Amino acid sequence: MLVKGLGAVVLIAAMSGSTTLRDSHASFKQALAACSGALGSVTFALGHARVAAAPGVDSDESFGDAGKVNVVLQDGGSSKAAKLSIDQSKRTISAKNVRVEAHGTIACILPD
């Protein structure tokens, strides 16, 4: 299955636990397009995580030591939410429901 606009192959349908991503050149718009139905997306560029919340979804980020970030995505129109932890130095994302797209460069965050 090809992701519209990115021409990338879906790598993993859904997974739980820790996911490691490669660097991405996708814009926020492209990442969200690859993550249809998700609360948001995470990509890495130049060693930094980039979180994009879907329209109508609030993002609350708190930064910890050594490049760690905790994020809560909450859909304002429903009770759907997701909590995720990001380790920028290892380029990993830990969340309950993650779908990886675009050759391992985009993580789609699905509701818990």
Side-chain angles (χ1 to χ4, degrees), residues 29-51:
K29 184 177 179 179
Q30 291 170 320
L32 288 173
C35 293
S36 178
L39 294 173
S41 67
V42 179
T43 58
F44 285 93
L46 301 173
H48 297 285
R50 301 174 348 144
V51 178

Side-chain angles (χ1 to χ4, degrees), residues 4-50:
K4 184 178 178 184
L6 292 178
V9 177
V10 175
L11 288 179
I12 302 170
M15 62 186 306
S16 179
S18 183
T19 303
T20 302
L21 294 180
R22 298 182 333 199
D23 280 346
S24 173
H25 297 291
S27 67
F28 288 132
K29 184 177 179 179
Q30 291 170 320
L32 288 173
C35 293
S36 178
L39 294 173
S41 67
V42 179
T43 58
F44 285 93
L46 301 173
H48 297 285
R50 301 174 348 144

Side-chain angles (χ1 to χ4, degrees), residues 15-99:
M15 62 186 306
S16 179
S18 183
T19 303
T20 302
L21 294 180
R22 298 182 333 199
D23 280 346
S24 173
H25 297 291
S27 67
F28 288 132
K29 184 177 179 179
Q30 291 170 320
L32 288 173
C35 293
S36 178
L39 294 173
S41 67
V42 179
T43 58
F44 285 93
L46 301 173
H48 297 285
R50 301 174 348 144
V51 178
V57 174
D58 294 321
S59 175
D60 182 28
E61 299 178 16
S62 60
F63 298 88
D65 294 334
K68 298 200 174 156
V69 183
N70 292 310
V71 181
V72 176
L73 297 173
Q74 175 73 48
D75 187 334
S78 72
S79 61
K80 294 179 182 177
K83 295 179 184 177
L84 56 143
S85 298
I86 301 169
D87 186 329
Q88 296 183 109
S89 62
K90 295 180 181 177
R91 291 188 304 205
T92 60
I93 299 147
S94 298
K96 188 172 183 178
N97 293 305
V98 178
R99 185 178 75 228

